[in-house]
Amino acid sequence: MSSSNDHHPITSKYMWLAGLLKQQIEAEIWQPREAIPSERQLEVKYKVSRPTIRQAIDYLERSGLVYREHGRGTFVSPQKLQKGMQELTSFSEDLIRRGIKPGQIIRSISRVVPTENILRRLEMEPGTTVLQIERIRLGDNTPIGLQTSFVVLEEGQEITKEDLEKSGSLYAILQEKFNIIPTEADETLEVTLATPEEAILLHIKTDAPLLLNERLTYNQNRKPVEFVKILYRGDRYRYITRLSR
Amino acid sequence: MSSSNDHHPITSKYMWLAGLLKQQIEAEIWQPREAIPSERQLEVKYKVSRPTIRQAIDYLERSGLVYREHGRGTFVSPQKLQKGMQELTSFSEDLIRRGIKPGQIIRSISRVVPTENILRRLEMEPGTTVLQIERIRLGDNTPIGLQTSFVVLEEGQEITKEDLEKSGSLYAILQEKFNIIPTEADETLEVTLATPEEAILLHIKTDAPLLLNERLTYNQNRKPVEFVKILYRGDRYRYITRLSR
DNA sequence: TAATAGAACTGGTATTAACCAGTACTAACA
DNA sequence: TGTTAGTACTGGTTAATACCAGTTCTATTA
């Protein structure tokens, strides 16, 4: 099971075509709002049938790289570089994207029986254990957040401190070690004030305002994967997301 | 082929099928995680070709109503009622969904020349005017947010105080009066502290923590439609969203 | 000259037909 | 008895073909 391609594994002809077109769009062969070749033209050029062409363009449209106008053509979306911002991201992917160097201090990592509330949210049987990970998140080497994760793992599936220190990204480990792929998440954000303990860890004053981010993550089949609580320093973090309908 | 369906106008056979399946799913004909009939079975039952069946199921899958497993079948997603939470919503749609009665006090509505910063974000020519709307947002009749909207409107396109008071939703007015449909938005959330003026309007103390939500909304073709700033009372509002990749 | 009909493009929908690729169960085999 | 190979399901991919439905421009017409 070799990789050889990260974003668009060539598993099918339409994915190969989509990757090819994506490359050209990113190389700015066409300007934003400029039309790409019509489906009939692509059909001739790449010698594939129109259904396949349309499948490839469907994919690009869903990814937000192009938009279609009936009777006019298919056009390159403006806003280069912002691609994928709507994607479900991990903390480290998120910071890298903004040009900030991510870092972390792992405070603890152990199997625990979570509170009833968390157990219910993770849709688990009473008495089951989850992996709890407590981390201090750094941005350019200064603390910006306190994170506590509760990860649903079978008996025998374990993640070590070394795994986390090497990769930095929990999502990358889940995918590589256990083939668990987070695909959807419900998030809430609200304002809270720092407790004395939190204040010390984040190098701020007690009662300083914090951004509390709670996230429940699901895999492909809507099974809960992880519940996370992150307390961000109000003065050093801004949450960014993209919505669509 | 009667209507009886509001969200999915019957414009095509696959949409008709999708609506039909959606009704059955919502009527809980099949339990969550239970398989719906296979594509070949549906082909016979509804007398449509498999590509059409697949188009309908593609739509349902994107909507999050079902998920597919290669070699096993297509299954009903759990979590009824949460459908559409990932959608781009207006403030009022948002509150209704949570069972809170939305309300508003319109403080001002007028054409203004916005600041350079906002002009740039809305991708407009210098000197152009936008419609500025200042509102106090209410939840169950108490203030929970201060909202300032900057809406891109052509000369002649106007929205009156009466329009807003009647409908309550800016998005509904944009769609009905001018056929402008917001489809995507970039949002940021951060913590700020209340200025004396903001404190008075929101019935809180100066320097109380607030949740600042900025949103830039785009239409189908990625043209900016609206820039909004909303200051929420930290003690009365929790932001909810859904992410997916 | 201005309005209009139509041709020639664009993407959208639908059908037919094969075959590939996972999954799960069963019957034959060692 | 336990393993294995087969088979009959599932969804996934690709093709060839036809026609529908918007958009744009041009050449004809009044």
Side-chain angles (χ1 to χ4, degrees), chain B residues 64-119:
Chain B
L65 261 78
V66 301
Y67 60 93
R68 298 202 254 216
E69 287 189 31
H70 191 169
R72 300 223 311 129
T74 301
F75 306 87
V76 175
S77 296
Q79 300 180 58
K80 53 189 172 183
L81 261 189
Q82 297 208 8
K83 48 134 186 170
M85 205 157 97
Q86 79 286 8
E87 283 172 15
L88 174 57
T89 60
S90 71
F91 177 91
S92 28
E93 289 170 8
D94 198 27
L95 283 195
I96 291 168
R97 209 161 269 170
R98 300 191 219 175
I100 300 169
K101 188 175 136 246
Q104 61 178 342
I105 298 167
I106 299 168
R107 293 183 60 221
S108 78
I109 177 166
S110 61
R111 283 252 173 205
V112 299
V113 176
T115 65
E116 186 144 348
N117 186 15
I118 291 175
L119 212 66

Short mmCIF file of all heavy atoms in Angstrom, two decimals, chain B residues 64-119:
data_model
loop_
_atom_site.label_atom_id
_atom_site.label_comp_id
_atom_site.label_asym_id
_atom_site.label_seq_id
_atom_site.Cartn_x
_atom_site.Cartn_y
_atom_site.Cartn_z
N GLY B 64 -25.68 14.52 3.73
CA GLY B 64 -25.40 13.89 5.01
C GLY B 64 -26.51 12.98 5.50
O GLY B 64 -26.51 12.58 6.66
N LEU B 65 -27.47 12.65 4.64
CA LEU B 65 -28.58 11.79 5.08
C LEU B 65 -28.21 10.32 5.05
O LEU B 65 -28.76 9.53 5.80
CB LEU B 65 -29.81 12.02 4.20
CG LEU B 65 -30.85 12.95 4.80
CD1 LEU B 65 -30.42 14.39 4.64
CD2 LEU B 65 -32.19 12.72 4.15
N VAL B 66 -27.30 9.96 4.15
CA VAL B 66 -26.88 8.57 4.05
C VAL B 66 -25.36 8.50 3.87
O VAL B 66 -24.73 9.50 3.57
CB VAL B 66 -27.53 7.85 2.84
CG1 VAL B 66 -29.04 7.87 2.93
CG2 VAL B 66 -27.08 8.48 1.54
N TYR B 67 -24.81 7.33 4.12
CA TYR B 67 -23.40 7.11 3.79
C TYR B 67 -23.28 5.76 3.09
O TYR B 67 -24.10 4.88 3.30
CB TYR B 67 -22.51 7.17 5.03
CG TYR B 67 -22.82 6.15 6.10
CD1 TYR B 67 -22.16 4.92 6.13
CD2 TYR B 67 -23.76 6.40 7.09
CE1 TYR B 67 -22.43 3.98 7.12
CE2 TYR B 67 -24.04 5.47 8.08
CZ TYR B 67 -23.37 4.27 8.08
OH TYR B 67 -23.64 3.34 9.05
N ARG B 68 -22.26 5.63 2.24
CA ARG B 68 -22.12 4.41 1.46
C ARG B 68 -20.91 3.61 1.91
O ARG B 68 -19.91 4.18 2.35
CB ARG B 68 -21.94 4.76 -0.01
CG ARG B 68 -23.13 5.50 -0.57
CD ARG B 68 -23.18 5.37 -2.07
NE ARG B 68 -22.80 6.59 -2.75
CZ ARG B 68 -23.36 7.00 -3.89
NH1 ARG B 68 -24.32 6.30 -4.44
NH2 ARG B 68 -22.94 8.10 -4.47
N GLU B 69 -21.01 2.29 1.83
CA GLU B 69 -19.85 1.44 2.09
C GLU B 69 -19.71 0.47 0.93
O GLU B 69 -20.60 -0.33 0.68
CB GLU B 69 -20.00 0.70 3.42
CG GLU B 69 -19.82 1.63 4.61
CD GLU B 69 -19.76 0.87 5.94
OE1 GLU B 69 -19.28 -0.28 5.96
OE2 GLU B 69 -20.20 1.45 6.95
N HIS B 70 -18.57 0.59 0.27
CA HIS B 70 -18.30 -0.22 -0.91
C HIS B 70 -18.43 -1.70 -0.57
O HIS B 70 -17.76 -2.18 0.34
CB HIS B 70 -16.89 0.10 -1.43
CG HIS B 70 -16.60 -0.49 -2.77
ND1 HIS B 70 -15.50 -0.15 -3.51
CD2 HIS B 70 -17.29 -1.38 -3.51
CE1 HIS B 70 -15.51 -0.82 -4.65
NE2 HIS B 70 -16.59 -1.57 -4.66
N GLY B 71 -19.26 -2.40 -1.29
CA GLY B 71 -19.40 -3.83 -1.08
C GLY B 71 -20.44 -4.20 -0.04
O GLY B 71 -20.79 -5.37 0.09
N ARG B 72 -20.89 -3.22 0.74
CA ARG B 72 -21.86 -3.53 1.79
C ARG B 72 -23.24 -2.93 1.51
O ARG B 72 -24.24 -3.64 1.57
CB ARG B 72 -21.38 -3.05 3.15
CG ARG B 72 -20.05 -3.67 3.59
CD ARG B 72 -20.03 -4.09 5.05
NE ARG B 72 -20.51 -3.05 5.94
CZ ARG B 72 -21.45 -3.27 6.86
NH1 ARG B 72 -21.97 -4.45 6.99
NH2 ARG B 72 -21.84 -2.28 7.63
N GLY B 73 -23.26 -1.67 1.18
CA GLY B 73 -24.56 -1.06 0.92
C GLY B 73 -24.57 0.43 1.23
O GLY B 73 -23.53 1.03 1.51
N THR B 74 -25.76 1.01 1.19
CA THR B 74 -25.93 2.42 1.51
C THR B 74 -26.79 2.51 2.76
O THR B 74 -27.83 1.87 2.84
CB THR B 74 -26.61 3.16 0.35
OG1 THR B 74 -25.81 3.02 -0.82
CG2 THR B 74 -26.77 4.63 0.67
N PHE B 75 -26.33 3.27 3.74
CA PHE B 75 -26.95 3.25 5.05
C PHE B 75 -27.45 4.63 5.48
O PHE B 75 -26.90 5.66 5.08
CB PHE B 75 -25.96 2.73 6.09
CG PHE B 75 -25.37 1.40 5.73
CD1 PHE B 75 -24.24 1.31 4.94
CD2 PHE B 75 -25.98 0.22 6.16
CE1 PHE B 75 -23.71 0.08 4.58
CE2 PHE B 75 -25.46 -1.01 5.80
CZ PHE B 75 -24.32 -1.09 5.02
N VAL B 76 -28.51 4.62 6.28
CA VAL B 76 -29.08 5.86 6.79
C VAL B 76 -28.16 6.42 7.88
O VAL B 76 -27.76 5.70 8.79
CB VAL B 76 -30.49 5.62 7.37
CG1 VAL B 76 -31.03 6.88 8.02
CG2 VAL B 76 -31.43 5.13 6.28
N SER B 77 -27.83 7.69 7.77
CA SER B 77 -26.99 8.32 8.79
C SER B 77 -27.77 8.49 10.08
O SER B 77 -28.96 8.77 10.06
CB SER B 77 -26.53 9.70 8.32
OG SER B 77 -25.71 9.59 7.20
N PRO B 78 -27.09 8.30 11.22
CA PRO B 78 -27.76 8.60 12.48
C PRO B 78 -27.90 10.13 12.64
O PRO B 78 -27.63 10.87 11.74
CB PRO B 78 -26.81 8.01 13.52
CG PRO B 78 -25.52 7.84 12.85
CD PRO B 78 -25.74 7.82 11.37
N GLN B 79 -28.34 10.54 13.80
CA GLN B 79 -28.43 11.98 14.11
C GLN B 79 -29.49 12.70 13.30
O GLN B 79 -29.20 13.67 12.62
CB GLN B 79 -27.09 12.68 13.88
CG GLN B 79 -25.99 12.14 14.72
CD GLN B 79 -24.72 12.88 14.45
OE1 GLN B 79 -24.65 14.10 14.61
NE2 GLN B 79 -23.69 12.16 14.05
N LYS B 80 -30.68 12.23 13.43
CA LYS B 80 -31.78 12.95 12.79
C LYS B 80 -31.91 14.34 13.40
O LYS B 80 -31.39 14.60 14.47
CB LYS B 80 -33.08 12.19 13.04
CG LYS B 80 -33.31 11.90 14.52
CD LYS B 80 -34.46 10.97 14.75
CE LYS B 80 -34.50 10.56 16.22
NZ LYS B 80 -35.56 9.59 16.51
N LEU B 81 -32.57 15.20 12.69
CA LEU B 81 -32.86 16.56 13.15
C LEU B 81 -31.68 17.50 13.09
O LEU B 81 -31.84 18.70 13.11
CB LEU B 81 -33.40 16.57 14.59
CG LEU B 81 -34.90 16.68 14.70
CD1 LEU B 81 -35.32 16.90 16.14
CD2 LEU B 81 -35.42 17.82 13.82
N GLN B 82 -30.47 16.97 13.04
CA GLN B 82 -29.33 17.86 13.00
C GLN B 82 -28.99 18.23 11.57
O GLN B 82 -28.08 19.00 11.33
CB GLN B 82 -28.12 17.21 13.66
CG GLN B 82 -28.37 16.95 15.12
CD GLN B 82 -27.10 16.97 15.91
OE1 GLN B 82 -26.04 17.31 15.40
NE2 GLN B 82 -27.20 16.62 17.17
N LYS B 83 -29.73 17.64 10.65
CA LYS B 83 -29.48 17.93 9.23
C LYS B 83 -29.47 19.44 8.99
O LYS B 83 -30.26 20.16 9.55
CB LYS B 83 -30.56 17.29 8.39
CG LYS B 83 -31.96 17.58 8.94
CD LYS B 83 -32.96 17.99 7.93
CE LYS B 83 -34.25 18.39 8.64
NZ LYS B 83 -35.24 19.02 7.80
N GLY B 84 -28.60 19.84 8.12
CA GLY B 84 -28.59 21.23 7.72
C GLY B 84 -27.91 22.16 8.71
O GLY B 84 -27.83 23.34 8.48
N MET B 85 -27.41 21.63 9.80
CA MET B 85 -26.75 22.50 10.77
C MET B 85 -25.47 23.07 10.21
O MET B 85 -25.01 24.11 10.64
CB MET B 85 -26.45 21.74 12.05
CG MET B 85 -26.34 22.65 13.24
SD MET B 85 -26.66 21.77 14.75
CE MET B 85 -25.01 21.42 15.26
N GLN B 86 -24.90 22.36 9.24
CA GLN B 86 -23.67 22.85 8.65
C GLN B 86 -23.93 23.97 7.66
O GLN B 86 -23.03 24.59 7.16
CB GLN B 86 -22.91 21.71 7.96
CG GLN B 86 -23.44 21.32 6.60
CD GLN B 86 -24.74 20.54 6.68
OE1 GLN B 86 -25.32 20.43 7.74
NE2 GLN B 86 -25.21 20.05 5.56
N GLU B 87 -25.21 24.17 7.39
CA GLU B 87 -25.54 25.17 6.37
C GLU B 87 -25.20 26.58 6.84
O GLU B 87 -25.14 26.87 8.01
CB GLU B 87 -27.03 25.08 6.05
CG GLU B 87 -27.36 23.92 5.15
CD GLU B 87 -28.87 23.74 5.01
OE1 GLU B 87 -29.62 24.65 5.38
OE2 GLU B 87 -29.27 22.67 4.54
N LEU B 88 -25.02 27.39 5.85
CA LEU B 88 -24.78 28.80 6.10
C LEU B 88 -26.09 29.41 6.58
O LEU B 88 -27.08 29.36 5.90
CB LEU B 88 -24.33 29.47 4.81
CG LEU B 88 -24.16 30.96 4.80
CD1 LEU B 88 -23.17 31.36 5.87
CD2 LEU B 88 -23.69 31.40 3.44
N THR B 89 -26.09 29.96 7.75
CA THR B 89 -27.35 30.41 8.31
C THR B 89 -27.32 31.89 8.66
O THR B 89 -26.27 32.46 8.86
CB THR B 89 -27.69 29.64 9.59
OG1 THR B 89 -26.65 29.87 10.53
CG2 THR B 89 -27.82 28.19 9.30
N SER B 90 -28.46 32.47 8.73
CA SER B 90 -28.56 33.83 9.23
C SER B 90 -28.80 33.74 10.73
O SER B 90 -29.10 32.69 11.28
CB SER B 90 -29.72 34.55 8.55
OG SER B 90 -30.94 34.04 9.03
N PHE B 91 -28.68 34.86 11.37
CA PHE B 91 -28.85 34.92 12.82
C PHE B 91 -30.22 34.39 13.25
O PHE B 91 -30.32 33.57 14.16
CB PHE B 91 -28.70 36.38 13.27
CG PHE B 91 -28.92 36.59 14.73
CD1 PHE B 91 -27.87 36.52 15.62
CD2 PHE B 91 -30.19 36.87 15.21
CE1 PHE B 91 -28.08 36.73 16.96
CE2 PHE B 91 -30.41 37.07 16.55
CZ PHE B 91 -29.34 37.00 17.43
N SER B 92 -31.26 34.84 12.53
CA SER B 92 -32.60 34.45 12.97
C SER B 92 -32.86 32.96 12.74
O SER B 92 -33.42 32.29 13.61
CB SER B 92 -33.67 35.30 12.28
OG SER B 92 -33.25 35.76 11.02
N GLU B 93 -32.44 32.44 11.56
CA GLU B 93 -32.59 31.00 11.31
C GLU B 93 -31.90 30.20 12.41
O GLU B 93 -32.39 29.19 12.88
CB GLU B 93 -31.95 30.63 9.96
CG GLU B 93 -32.72 31.15 8.74
CD GLU B 93 -31.92 30.98 7.44
OE1 GLU B 93 -30.86 30.33 7.47
OE2 GLU B 93 -32.36 31.52 6.42
N ASP B 94 -30.74 30.71 12.78
CA ASP B 94 -29.90 30.07 13.76
C ASP B 94 -30.60 29.93 15.11
O ASP B 94 -30.63 28.85 15.71
CB ASP B 94 -28.62 30.91 13.91
CG ASP B 94 -27.51 30.15 14.56
OD1 ASP B 94 -27.49 28.91 14.44
OD2 ASP B 94 -26.65 30.79 15.19
N LEU B 95 -31.17 31.03 15.59
CA LEU B 95 -31.83 31.01 16.90
C LEU B 95 -33.09 30.15 16.90
O LEU B 95 -33.33 29.39 17.83
CB LEU B 95 -32.18 32.43 17.35
CG LEU B 95 -31.04 33.29 17.88
CD1 LEU B 95 -31.60 34.49 18.61
CD2 LEU B 95 -30.15 32.50 18.82
N ILE B 96 -33.89 30.27 15.84
CA ILE B 96 -35.12 29.49 15.76
C ILE B 96 -34.79 28.01 15.90
O ILE B 96 -35.47 27.27 16.60
CB ILE B 96 -35.83 29.73 14.41
CG1 ILE B 96 -36.38 31.15 14.38
CG2 ILE B 96 -36.96 28.73 14.19
CD1 ILE B 96 -36.85 31.61 13.01
N ARG B 97 -33.71 27.62 15.24
CA ARG B 97 -33.27 26.24 15.27
C ARG B 97 -32.99 25.76 16.70
O ARG B 97 -33.08 24.58 17.01
CB ARG B 97 -31.99 26.14 14.43
CG ARG B 97 -31.77 24.83 13.81
CD ARG B 97 -30.79 24.95 12.67
NE ARG B 97 -31.46 25.20 11.39
CZ ARG B 97 -30.82 25.53 10.28
NH1 ARG B 97 -29.52 25.68 10.30
NH2 ARG B 97 -31.48 25.72 9.17
N ARG B 98 -32.60 26.69 17.55
CA ARG B 98 -32.29 26.30 18.94
C ARG B 98 -33.46 26.54 19.88
O ARG B 98 -33.32 26.45 21.10
CB ARG B 98 -31.10 27.13 19.45
CG ARG B 98 -29.86 26.92 18.62
CD ARG B 98 -28.69 27.53 19.31
NE ARG B 98 -27.80 28.17 18.37
CZ ARG B 98 -26.73 28.87 18.71
NH1 ARG B 98 -26.43 29.00 19.99
NH2 ARG B 98 -25.96 29.42 17.81
N GLY B 99 -34.58 26.92 19.34
CA GLY B 99 -35.75 27.10 20.16
C GLY B 99 -35.79 28.40 20.93
O GLY B 99 -36.50 28.54 21.92
N ILE B 100 -35.00 29.37 20.48
CA ILE B 100 -35.00 30.68 21.12
C ILE B 100 -35.72 31.65 20.20
O ILE B 100 -35.54 31.62 18.99
CB ILE B 100 -33.56 31.17 21.36
CG1 ILE B 100 -32.83 30.19 22.27
CG2 ILE B 100 -33.55 32.57 21.94
CD1 ILE B 100 -31.34 30.44 22.36
N LYS B 101 -36.55 32.51 20.77
CA LYS B 101 -37.31 33.45 19.95
C LYS B 101 -36.41 34.62 19.54
O LYS B 101 -35.94 35.37 20.39
CB LYS B 101 -38.51 33.96 20.74
CG LYS B 101 -39.47 34.80 19.90
CD LYS B 101 -40.71 35.19 20.70
CE LYS B 101 -41.08 36.65 20.48
NZ LYS B 101 -40.95 37.48 21.65
N PRO B 102 -36.15 34.77 18.25
CA PRO B 102 -35.29 35.86 17.82
C PRO B 102 -36.06 37.17 17.76
O PRO B 102 -37.27 37.19 17.61
CB PRO B 102 -34.87 35.44 16.41
CG PRO B 102 -36.02 34.62 15.91
CD PRO B 102 -36.65 33.98 17.12
N GLY B 103 -35.33 38.27 17.93
CA GLY B 103 -35.94 39.58 17.81
C GLY B 103 -34.87 40.57 17.45
O GLY B 103 -33.68 40.24 17.43
N GLN B 104 -35.27 41.79 17.10
CA GLN B 104 -34.26 42.77 16.74
C GLN B 104 -34.77 44.18 16.94
O GLN B 104 -35.97 44.44 16.87
CB GLN B 104 -33.81 42.57 15.30
CG GLN B 104 -34.92 42.75 14.29
CD GLN B 104 -34.43 42.60 12.86
OE1 GLN B 104 -33.23 42.69 12.61
NE2 GLN B 104 -35.34 42.37 11.93
N ILE B 105 -33.85 45.09 17.22
CA ILE B 105 -34.16 46.50 17.23
C ILE B 105 -33.28 47.13 16.16
O ILE B 105 -32.05 47.01 16.22
CB ILE B 105 -33.84 47.14 18.60
CG1 ILE B 105 -34.71 46.48 19.68
CG2 ILE B 105 -34.07 48.65 18.55
CD1 ILE B 105 -34.25 46.81 21.09
N ILE B 106 -33.89 47.72 15.15
CA ILE B 106 -33.11 48.32 14.08
C ILE B 106 -32.70 49.73 14.49
O ILE B 106 -33.55 50.61 14.65
CB ILE B 106 -33.92 48.33 12.77
CG1 ILE B 106 -34.25 46.89 12.38
CG2 ILE B 106 -33.14 49.02 11.66
CD1 ILE B 106 -35.27 46.77 11.28
N ARG B 107 -31.41 49.93 14.66
CA ARG B 107 -30.94 51.24 15.12
C ARG B 107 -30.77 52.21 13.97
O ARG B 107 -31.00 53.41 14.11
CB ARG B 107 -29.60 51.08 15.86
CG ARG B 107 -29.74 50.31 17.17
CD ARG B 107 -28.41 50.23 17.90
NE ARG B 107 -27.89 51.54 18.21
CZ ARG B 107 -26.61 51.89 18.11
NH1 ARG B 107 -25.72 51.03 17.68
NH2 ARG B 107 -26.22 53.10 18.43
N SER B 108 -30.31 51.70 12.83
CA SER B 108 -30.17 52.58 11.67
C SER B 108 -30.08 51.74 10.40
O SER B 108 -29.69 50.57 10.45
CB SER B 108 -28.91 53.44 11.81
OG SER B 108 -27.76 52.68 11.48
N ILE B 109 -30.47 52.35 9.29
CA ILE B 109 -30.35 51.69 8.00
C ILE B 109 -30.14 52.78 6.95
O ILE B 109 -31.00 53.62 6.76
CB ILE B 109 -31.58 50.81 7.72
CG1 ILE B 109 -31.50 50.17 6.33
CG2 ILE B 109 -32.88 51.56 7.89
CD1 ILE B 109 -32.50 49.04 6.15
N SER B 110 -28.97 52.81 6.32
CA SER B 110 -28.66 53.91 5.40
C SER B 110 -27.52 53.56 4.47
O SER B 110 -26.72 52.68 4.75
CB SER B 110 -28.29 55.16 6.19
OG SER B 110 -27.12 54.89 6.96
N ARG B 111 -27.43 54.27 3.37
CA ARG B 111 -26.32 54.13 2.42
C ARG B 111 -25.12 54.90 2.96
O ARG B 111 -25.23 56.05 3.33
CB ARG B 111 -26.70 54.76 1.07
CG ARG B 111 -27.63 53.92 0.24
CD ARG B 111 -26.87 53.32 -0.94
NE ARG B 111 -27.68 52.36 -1.69
CZ ARG B 111 -27.14 51.40 -2.40
NH1 ARG B 111 -25.83 51.24 -2.45
NH2 ARG B 111 -27.90 50.55 -3.06
N VAL B 112 -23.97 54.23 3.00
CA VAL B 112 -22.76 54.91 3.46
C VAL B 112 -21.59 54.52 2.56
O VAL B 112 -21.64 53.53 1.84
CB VAL B 112 -22.40 54.52 4.92
CG1 VAL B 112 -23.51 54.92 5.87
CG2 VAL B 112 -22.10 53.04 5.01
N VAL B 113 -20.55 55.35 2.58
CA VAL B 113 -19.29 54.96 1.96
C VAL B 113 -18.46 54.29 3.04
O VAL B 113 -18.12 54.93 4.03
CB VAL B 113 -18.53 56.18 1.40
CG1 VAL B 113 -17.18 55.76 0.84
CG2 VAL B 113 -19.35 56.87 0.31
N PRO B 114 -18.19 53.01 2.90
CA PRO B 114 -17.53 52.28 3.99
C PRO B 114 -16.05 52.62 4.10
O PRO B 114 -15.49 53.29 3.22
CB PRO B 114 -17.71 50.82 3.58
CG PRO B 114 -17.84 50.84 2.11
CD PRO B 114 -18.46 52.15 1.74
N THR B 115 -15.44 52.17 5.15
CA THR B 115 -13.99 52.36 5.32
C THR B 115 -13.24 51.62 4.23
O THR B 115 -13.75 50.71 3.61
CB THR B 115 -13.52 51.80 6.68
OG1 THR B 115 -13.72 50.39 6.66
CG2 THR B 115 -14.30 52.41 7.83
N GLU B 116 -12.01 52.02 4.04
CA GLU B 116 -11.18 51.43 3.00
C GLU B 116 -11.05 49.93 3.19
O GLU B 116 -11.11 49.14 2.24
CB GLU B 116 -9.79 52.08 3.03
CG GLU B 116 -8.90 51.63 1.90
CD GLU B 116 -8.02 52.77 1.41
OE1 GLU B 116 -8.27 53.93 1.80
OE2 GLU B 116 -7.09 52.50 0.65
N ASN B 117 -10.89 49.54 4.42
CA ASN B 117 -10.73 48.14 4.77
C ASN B 117 -11.93 47.30 4.33
O ASN B 117 -11.79 46.26 3.67
CB ASN B 117 -10.55 48.04 6.30
CG ASN B 117 -10.23 46.62 6.72
OD1 ASN B 117 -9.88 45.78 5.89
ND2 ASN B 117 -10.37 46.35 8.00
N ILE B 118 -13.11 47.78 4.65
CA ILE B 118 -14.32 47.05 4.30
C ILE B 118 -14.53 47.08 2.79
O ILE B 118 -14.91 46.07 2.18
CB ILE B 118 -15.54 47.65 5.05
CG1 ILE B 118 -15.40 47.34 6.54
CG2 ILE B 118 -16.85 47.13 4.50
CD1 ILE B 118 -16.45 47.97 7.41
N LEU B 119 -14.24 48.22 2.16
CA LEU B 119 -14.34 48.35 0.71
C LEU B 119 -13.50 47.29 0.02
O LEU B 119 -13.92 46.63 -0.94
CB LEU B 119 -13.85 49.75 0.30
CG LEU B 119 -14.51 50.39 -0.90
CD1 LEU B 119 -15.97 50.69 -0.61
CD2 LEU B 119 -13.78 51.68 -1.28
#
